[in-house]
Amino acid sequence: MADRKAVCFVDNPRRSGYTNKSEKKGVLTVFVQGKRLLSDGHAEGRALLAQMYRQHVGGTLPEIAVTDRGKPYFMESPWYFSISHSRGHVFCALSQRPVGIDAEEMDRVVNLRLADKILSPMERRQYENAADKGLALLTFWVLKEAQAKCTGEG
């Protein structure tokens, strides 16, 4: 079976999307790149971020700090980033405005009782009507994680 991943990026807390390539968002670009994870997800995520920064912005990766809520950011750059790694892959988003990215393997087993805790009433209705409840819940989870990374509230 081929590797299947649910990848989501959010660059506006009111809108989200799925991607596997760079996408134009008005005059701004969200660069999204992924690769197979070979070792440590944290280290490979930082290496992928450094590669993307060099390629799209130029120069070396700026120093990274972390907010009191745990959101990493560049100290000396107007660019924003987000990194996510799953069991076998690492993904990075780089943007000129706040961005969040999350990824999960689509074969990940999720506890369906989680739906009661994380879904809004409208999301709950969509979930209840879904043919594959596990996939629906995983999709909502990835969207919510990406949004929390974008806003720094999660």
Side-chain angles (χ1 to χ4, degrees):
M1 182 163 123
D3 288 340
R4 292 178 18 154
K5 300 156 287 301
V7 179
C8 176
F9 76 87
V10 172
D11 69 341
N12 178 334
R14 293 184 190 92
R15 289 190 7 247
S16 57
Y18 296 91
T19 189
N20 61 2
K21 59 184 176 11
S22 300
E23 294 209 359
K24 290 286 186 184
K25 298 289 184 187
V27 296
L28 303 176
T29 301
V30 178
F31 298 105
V32 179
Q33 195 169 331
K35 68 177 219 167
R36 181 168 293 284
L37 188 59
L38 300 176
S39 61
D40 174 48
H42 181 78
E44 287 200 42
R46 288 288 173 99
L48 181 58
L49 177 60
Q51 172 192 327
M52 289 176 67
Y53 195 89
R54 263 190 322 276
Q55 179 182 356
H56 299 294
V57 181
T60 59
L61 192 66
E63 186 175 346
I64 296 173
V66 179
T67 67
D68 58 349
R69 296 193 59 119
K71 181 178 174 64
Y73 67 95
F74 293 129
M75 292 185 66
E76 301 290 329
S77 174
W79 286 78
Y80 299 86
F81 70 94
S82 183
I83 299 171
S84 181
H85 56 88
S86 63
R87 184 175 62 236
H89 297 84
V90 62
F91 297 90
C92 184
L94 181 66
S95 180
Q96 293 173 304
R97 63 181 175 206
V99 64
I101 192 167
D102 192 49
E104 291 292 343
E105 303 297 327
M106 297 202 35
D107 62 352
R108 179 179 173 178
V109 177
V110 291
N111 185 337
L112 298 182
R113 292 186 308 220
L114 187 60
D116 294 330
K117 295 180 181 180
I118 70 165
L119 298 182
S120 71
M122 184 170 69
E123 292 166 341
R124 182 68 187 204
R125 285 190 295 277
Q126 289 177 287
Y127 166 79
E128 291 297 337
N129 291 322
D132 183 338
K133 295 213 181 338
L135 179 59
L137 186 56
L138 184 63
T139 300
F140 280 120
W141 178 264
V142 171
L143 284 165
K144 288 176 176 288
E145 285 286 315
Q147 181 176 11
K149 289 180 176 183
C150 179
T151 63
E153 296 175 3

